[in-house]
Amino acid sequence: MKFSLKRTIFMQELQTVQRAISSKTTIPILTGVKIVVNEEGITLTGSNSDISIETFLSVQTEAAQLHIEQTGQIVLPARFFSEIVRRLSEEDFTLEVLENNQVAITSGKANFTINGLDGDSYPHLPVIESPNPIKLPVHVLSKLITETGFAVSQHESRPILTGVHFVLKDQKLLAVATDSHRLSQRVIPIEQAVENFDIVIPGKSLTELSRSFTDEEELVEISIMENQVLFKTETMYFYSRLLEGNYPDTNRLIPSSFNTEIEFYVPKLISAIERASLLTHEGRNNIVRLAITDNSVVLYGNSPEVGKVEESLNYEQVTGEPLEISFNPDYMKAALRAFGDMNVTVKFISAVRPFTIEPTENSIEFIQLITPVRTN
């Protein structure tokens, strides 16, 4: 096997597959990157027990200036190999497999020889073929992940809550995540006719997936098998295991009637909460308090060790009963950032019941739920 190409283009592909490579794996060969070269181009593969990523660099890619002299395959230690390529002084480099799986990497006056492993020893990726995969623009899927992924649980005590629940039903794709203190649910319409599904994808897999996309405008195909999901673009295959078990019925958690409603412009509300949490983060209790009356809305932050803050908030309109409620400012900021630059309506039942945040614009099916903090 022998090829030469531009280093920066190759590094982009290598960095993508490295997202799936862990130094902590119990299977030693999975600490490596698999390189397969044929007449059409180079395929790179990285994998761990949760995700596998495969990218393809075509000989047709002009920027790569890829020249293939000999086909073949090899597995190289990913972290070490990546450092070598990244630090080469010249833009072009050549890689050649020698005897006994040794590999020569040449660039300018530098010449490295490193030990590789036989490509046939690398585990095969699952074959996932769906006759009618769901197709979404990359930017739509990325936004869906951003809107829900932050709310997954970080604790393994309930593994199912570390994932995002995806349900396709009645031409609508629902994505919901909760860590039992907060919930984020987004629904988007699906125009094509595809088979219904109900799956839970690990939140960490989705984070790596969204970071791996390079073209926001291309389409991604989603195919599902028993315990795996495949996200496929023109140049990348991204596999993730699915979480086993039944996701809790989150619909019953979302209230339908409220006693107090208030409309805010998101960027202004985030700024105010950030100012309040400057003090609360320094104290033992990271809590802010919101007091709503007929003619004022005030945010309070108090840290006995540091001091206190009080700020009258700008709001669009308020209806309903007066209310005082306390909440975790970090949960609130994360929720608001997922909405972006828009107006939202925050709806309350009482000081001890979860409250919801929704876009004021009714055409967007997006709801978040936050459990308040009880203060005595």
Side-chain angles (χ1 to χ4, degrees), residues 12 18 35 55 69 74 97 101 113 121 132 158 162 170 178 185 193 208 216 232 244 266 281-282 295 301-302 309 353:
Q12 288 171 7
Q18 273 193 284
I35 305 170
T55 68
E69 289 186 43
I74 193 75
V97 176
N101 294 319
T113 304
S121 306
N132 187 19
R158 290 186 70 187
T162 63
D170 302 328
T178 180
Q185 176 179 291
E208 295 302 345
E216 287 284 297
K232 180 181 170 185
E244 294 179 7
V266 168
H281 277 162
E282 294 299 316
N295 52 16
N302 182 28
V309 59
R353 296 280 300 278

Side-chain angles (χ1 to χ4, degrees), residues 144-164:
L144 199 60
I145 293 168
T146 301
E147 290 168 336
T148 55
F150 69 89
V152 301
S153 174
Q154 302 302 317
H155 304 291
E156 296 292 335
S157 53
R158 290 186 70 187
I160 198 75
L161 296 187
T162 63
V164 179

Side-chain angles (χ1 to χ4, degrees), residues 196-250:
N196 290 348
F197 59 74
D198 184 327
I199 59 174
V200 184
I201 304 173
K204 289 177 181 175
S205 299
L206 292 168
T207 300
E208 295 302 345
L209 173 66
S210 61
R211 288 173 179 165
S212 301
F213 289 131
T214 52
D215 184 353
E216 287 284 297
E217 297 308 313
E218 69 178 334
L219 285 176
V220 55
E221 291 184 2
I222 306 171
S223 302
I224 299 154
M225 268 186 69
E226 226 171 274
N227 60 355
Q228 291 272 338
V229 59
L230 167 62
F231 299 89
K232 180 181 170 185
T233 67
E234 206 169 300
T235 59
M236 181 181 73
Y237 282 41
F238 187 107
Y239 300 81
S240 171
R241 73 178 176 97
L242 298 175
L243 292 176
E244 294 179 7
N246 295 318
Y247 203 83
D249 178 11
T250 51

Side-chain angles (χ1 to χ4, degrees), residues 341-362:
D341 190 358
M342 64 169 74
N343 280 15
V344 292
T345 303
V346 189
K347 301 178 181 181
F348 304 93
I349 300 172
S350 72
V352 295
R353 296 280 300 278
F355 59 93
T356 66
I357 314 168
E358 296 177 66
T360 305
E361 171 63 59
N362 287 330

Side-chain angles (χ1 to χ4, degrees), residues 322-372:
L323 177 79
E324 277 201 20
I325 193 166
S326 299
F327 55 84
N328 181 317
D330 295 339
Y331 285 178
M332 191 66 165
K333 285 185 289 185
L336 292 169
R337 286 191 190 106
F339 288 102
D341 190 358
M342 64 169 74
N343 280 15
V344 292
T345 303
V346 189
K347 301 178 181 181
F348 304 93
I349 300 172
S350 72
V352 295
R353 296 280 300 278
F355 59 93
T356 66
I357 314 168
E358 296 177 66
T360 305
E361 171 63 59
N362 287 330
S363 64
I364 304 170
E365 287 191 70
F366 187 14
I367 187 166
Q368 299 204 48
L369 187 79
I370 295 178
T371 303

